[in-house]
Amino acid sequence: MNSDFTIAVHSLVYLANLPEHMASSEAIAHNVTTNPARIRKVMSTLRKKGMVKTKEGMRGGYLLSCDPKNITLADVYHTVSYGTLQPNWCTGDPDDTCPISSNTQVVMDHIFNKAEDCYELYLSQFTVASVLDKIKTYS
Amino acid sequence: MNSDFTIAVHSLVYLANLPEHMASSEAIAHNVTTNPARIRKVMSTLRKKGMVKTKEGMRGGYLLSCDPKNITLADVYHTVSYGTLQPNWCTGDPDDTCPISSNTQVVMDHIFNKAEDCYELYLSQFTVASVLDKIKTYS
DNA sequence: TTGAACTGTATAAAATAAAATTACAGTATG
DNA sequence: CATACTGTAATTTTATTTTATACAGTTCAA
């Protein structure tokens, strides 16, 4: 499981907290403690789903393109990490004559797929704004 | 994310399908397509929670110790993989004066912890018996 | 009572995945 | 036209996962 989801949430919260809702990949990377290239990759996929706008060139960077109250963590998860609940490793052998060996993987696939829906439903209760609020109560 | 959960479920289903509900690590490993040492490690943790009994020595192996209808995937997940929803990587810097940098990880920790509960609730609808039934409908 | 067939567990090696680094073309700004 | 950005790809480094190997301890049965 990679950390793109955590990075995406952190980046969006960071933007939401800024008066202009805008920052460069370098500023975000410093806050998140990672490198600018990784931030750009994650933000680039968020842009494709319309969550942020990007400005290239000098004084460019990333700008929140909607109200932090309207971005749920489910939206973020779906955009950057959908499918990562299931491990890559496959169990059994699809060509084995034993149905347990050949079909367990297929059944687990279904279970993991529905788990994603369940996970997203859970995450839909949180928004970028609500996460920011929680962070502030710790300060 | 490692595959211990998938391996545990597959192994238990395999046992449930056998008339004596019993098999050696070698037989299970062959069905799962992994090595006996790994099966023994996973089964060993299931034993500690009372899901299987083990017989050492000649003609030994693993024996289901309860009705497959009474083992939910939530039980299995909790036993072998609890906590793996959260990535190991940590965001931000706890010593940074910026609360976004220092507190986002803590808030994400809470969100991931509650997600585990949600995930287990979802998994509690499945049992070793119900998974076995589904596998058979594919045959 | 001995040896074959098991489990339990640890360690090391190999394979895979994740993260960081580097590089550079493209773009806006002043 | 130089500077400060993004977009993206390739490479290297690091961490994790999986496999392989080994061996002590246990049980059974001849």
Side-chain angles (χ1 to χ4, degrees):
Chain A
M1 175 112 54
N2 75 25
S3 311
D4 287 352
F5 172 58
T6 301
I7 286 178
V9 172
H10 188 148
S11 301
L12 291 169
V13 166
Y14 177 73
L15 290 180
N17 188 237
L18 294 173
E20 304 299 326
H21 290 183
M22 168 112 193
S24 69
S25 63
E26 200 184 328
I28 299 169
H30 180 263
N31 199 267
V32 169
T33 318
T34 184
N35 57 79
R38 189 172 188 194
I39 295 293
R40 293 202 285 269
K41 190 158 158 263
V42 170
M43 296 309 269
S44 197
T45 78
L46 293 178
R47 171 179 51 84
K48 285 165 192 162
K49 287 291 172 70
M51 291 178 182
V52 297
K53 285 178 181 150
T54 71
K55 269 187 74 179
E56 294 190 7
M58 203 175 173
R59 292 179 165 262
Y62 300 91
L63 175 71
L64 267 189
S65 58
C66 34
D67 189 325
K69 285 193 183 70
N70 296 329
I71 310 178
T72 72
L73 295 209
D75 299 332
V76 178
Y77 175 81
H78 193 92
T79 303
V80 302
S81 291
Y82 188 83
T84 57
L85 230 46
Q86 177 157 18
N88 305 324
W89 191 87
C90 290
T91 192
D93 171 9
D95 299 326
D96 197 310
T97 53
C98 167
I100 309 300
S101 186
S102 58
N103 294 334
T104 298
Q105 184 60 52
V106 183
V107 171
M108 294 305 291
D109 287 350
H110 288 164
I111 290 173
F112 283 122
N113 283 157
K114 282 188 284 182
E116 295 274 344
D117 299 342
C118 169
Y119 190 34
E120 289 192 10
L121 189 62
Y122 163 75
L123 288 175
S124 68
Q125 76 184 283
F126 305 103
T127 66
V128 170
S130 75
V131 172
L132 177 55
D133 282 347
K134 287 185 198 203
I135 290 168
K136 285 182 169 172
T137 66
Y138 276 97
S139 312
Chain B
M1 176 111 56
N2 75 24
S3 309
D4 287 352
F5 172 58
T6 300
I7 286 178
V9 172
H10 188 149
S11 301
L12 292 170
V13 166
Y14 177 73
L15 290 180
N17 187 236
L18 293 174
E20 304 300 326
H21 291 185
M22 170 110 191
S24 69
S25 63
E26 200 185 328
I28 299 169
H30 181 262
N31 198 266
V32 168
T33 319
T34 185
N35 56 78
R38 188 171 188 192
I39 295 294
R40 292 202 286 269
K41 190 157 159 263
V42 170
M43 296 309 270
S44 196
T45 78
L46 293 178
R47 169 178 52 83
K48 285 165 193 162
K49 287 292 170 72
M51 292 179 183
V52 296
K53 284 178 182 150
T54 71
K55 270 187 73 178
E56 293 189 10
M58 202 174 176
R59 290 179 168 264
Y62 300 91
L63 174 71
L64 268 189
S65 58
C66 34
D67 189 324
K69 285 193 182 69
N70 295 331
I71 310 177
T72 73
L73 297 209
D75 299 331
V76 179
Y77 174 81
H78 193 91
T79 304
V80 301
S81 291
Y82 188 84
T84 57
L85 230 46
Q86 177 156 17
N88 304 326
W89 191 87
C90 289
T91 193
D93 170 10
D95 299 326
D96 197 310
T97 53
C98 167
I100 310 299
S101 187
S102 58
N103 294 335
T104 297
Q105 185 60 52
V106 184
V107 172
M108 293 306 292
D109 286 351
H110 287 165
I111 291 173
F112 283 122
N113 284 159
K114 281 189 283 183
E116 296 273 345
D117 299 341
C118 169
Y119 190 34
E120 289 192 10
L121 189 62
Y122 162 76
L123 288 175
S124 67
Q125 76 185 284
F126 304 103
T127 66
V128 170
S130 76
V131 171
L132 177 55
D133 283 347
K134 287 185 197 204
I135 290 169
K136 287 183 169 171
T137 66
Y138 275 97
S139 311

